[in-house]
Each structure stands twice: as structure tokens, then as C-alpha cells.
Amino acid sequence: MLTTRRRTAVACLFAAAALSLTGCSSDSGGSGNDKIAGAGGDGSSSPTPSVSASAEKGAPAFDLPLDITVDVQKESTGDAAKDAIVRDVAYAAQARIEAFAEGDGRTANMNRYFAANALAYWGDRVATVKKDGLTVTGDYRYFDFEVTDVANGKKAAARYCEDQSKAYNKVIKTEKVQRTQPSDKDFVLYTLQVEKGSRGDWQVTQQNWKKGDASCVQG
């Protein structure tokens, strides 16, 4: 079930980040093996990509390496407008993983579900991760989607959680998996600002995250 917590998404202008991403949160530092928040990577040394399937009408196709899985767990809010926002926010999360997997921050799905500062940031971040020779492997799970505010049917604020407990960085050249010990930081809270684009899709324009947020930590 969706939580009843209501949070206003925080506007965030992203600056250049080191490998350990923390967005605009207070979570900083860490070792070189810290997981890349919300990131896939260059899939050039990964298995042959497969096209993900979706039961939703008109859903985009996502090409992901076989060693990366994405599990989106969402439920109806009971409001058609909010359901559309949740749907597109979930697509944005998948588009970001696909972008890192392809080593291209300007894929069709990124341009469809991201815009403004968020699109520019992830374009730069994808290029940096690819240059660093890293990708990720394992499973990503997204859950606890919530629309926290809607303004005039054109702008909205939303949140969701990411579970990275079964996802790890991987060195592209050697395919060595950089395994880490499980911790609360495997759970990441994302807060977003979204706007309806010219095609009618909701696009992420600002994005912030915090590792180990108590509202997302499970197990």
C-alpha cells in the first residue's frame, strides 16, 4: 500500500559529483566501491540486451542487459491524474537505468521522461560513469510511489524508494563485481519535481535523493 506520508519534493540544482552519488542530501563520502545511486552503466561488455515487456498500454520498451533486472512495485492511487504521474515517474526510473546500460544519457526514453536540469545532469553523469569504466549488475526494486502535490494539472511533486540491496557496481573491462556489505544505504529515497511535456508525458525536471532514509529502509 502507498504510505500516507506527504513530502514536498526538493528543488535541486545538481553539481558535479564523485562516484559516490548523494544528490543534494547530507549523505556524503564513502569508498570507491559505493553503489552508484540510480545508475546502470556502459553495457558494452554486458550480455546481449533484451527488451523488457510491460502490460501497460502504450508503455515504452526498455533495453536492459540480461544481468540487470528492474522490479517496479506500484499500486493505483485511486486518482487517474496521480496514477498517470506515478506511471511516468516509474518509466523515468527505468529510463535512467537503461541510459547507463547503453552509455547514452540522451536515449529516446531519457528525452521522453526527463527534461531541464534533471536531463542535463544525468547526461553528464552517464558520460562520467562510462569514462570511469563502471557499470552495475543485479536487481533494482522501486516501491512506495507517492504523488505529494499537483499544481494546475501541469506540475507535480512525487517520491519513491529504490532498493539496491541486490545491485552492485561492476568493472566493465574485467567484469569484476564490486560486492558490498548490506546496509541501510542500500535503500534510497528520491524526491522529484515533474512537469507535463508537450507530448503529454510527465517529465522529471528536478531530482534529489538520500541514501538510508528511514522511510525507505526495509529488512
Side-chain angles (χ1 to χ4, degrees):
M1 297 295 293
L2 293 174
T3 67
T4 57
R5 291 182 301 271
R6 300 187 59 82
R7 297 168 180 263
T8 301
V10 179
C12 172
L13 293 176
F14 290 100
L19 176 60
S20 176
L21 291 184
T22 58
C24 294
S25 76
S26 60
D27 179 13
S28 61
S31 70
N33 286 352
D34 283 353
K35 296 175 184 178
I36 303 168
D42 180 1
S44 59
S45 64
S46 301
T48 303
S50 62
V51 179
S52 62
S54 175
E56 292 179 302
K57 184 178 180 180
F62 297 100
D63 290 344
L64 296 172
L66 294 177
D67 61 345
I68 297 175
T69 63
V70 177
D71 179 17
V72 175
Q73 300 175 354
K74 59 184 177 67
E75 299 180 12
S76 174
T77 66
D79 180 286
K82 289 185 177 181
D83 283 347
I85 295 169
V86 168
R87 176 200 65 206
D88 289 353
V89 166
Y91 289 156
Q94 295 172 81
R96 189 179 61 246
I97 296 296
E98 179 189 48
F100 280 96
E102 295 189 3
D104 179 5
R106 294 285 183 152
T107 64
N109 286 324
M110 285 295 290
N111 284 316
R112 182 174 178 180
Y113 294 108
F114 285 85
N117 293 329
L119 179 62
Y121 172 80
W122 287 116
D124 290 344
R125 187 62 188 138
V126 167
T128 298
V129 170
K130 183 177 181 179
K131 182 179 179 180
D132 288 344
L134 291 172
T135 184
V136 297
T137 187
D139 307 325
Y140 284 91
R141 182 170 64 94
Y142 297 98
F143 62 99
D144 203 7
F145 290 85
E146 183 180 10
V147 178
T148 56
D149 190 24
V150 182
N152 300 321
K154 296 180 179 180
K155 296 184 179 181
R159 71 183 298 280
Y160 66 85
C161 297
E162 178 185 58
D163 174 6
Q164 297 183 347
S165 62
K166 296 181 180 178
Y168 306 97
N169 292 356
K170 183 174 74 172
V171 179
I172 295 171
K173 186 175 182 179
T174 64
E175 297 193 353
K176 180 180 179 180
V177 177
Q178 297 178 336
R179 297 189 180 275
T180 57
Q181 292 296 319
S183 76
D184 287 354
K185 288 189 177 182
D186 290 333
F187 297 90
V188 186
L189 170 67
Y190 288 85
T191 52
L192 321 167
Q193 290 184 349
V194 297
E195 296 184 16
K196 184 170 284 189
S198 60
R199 293 180 49 179
D201 300 308
W202 287 93
Q203 297 178 304
V204 178
T205 57
Q206 300 281 359
Q207 185 165 316
N208 178 54
W209 63 86
K210 183 180 179 181
K211 295 180 180 181
D213 188 272
S215 67
C216 291
V217 173
Q218 295 183 343

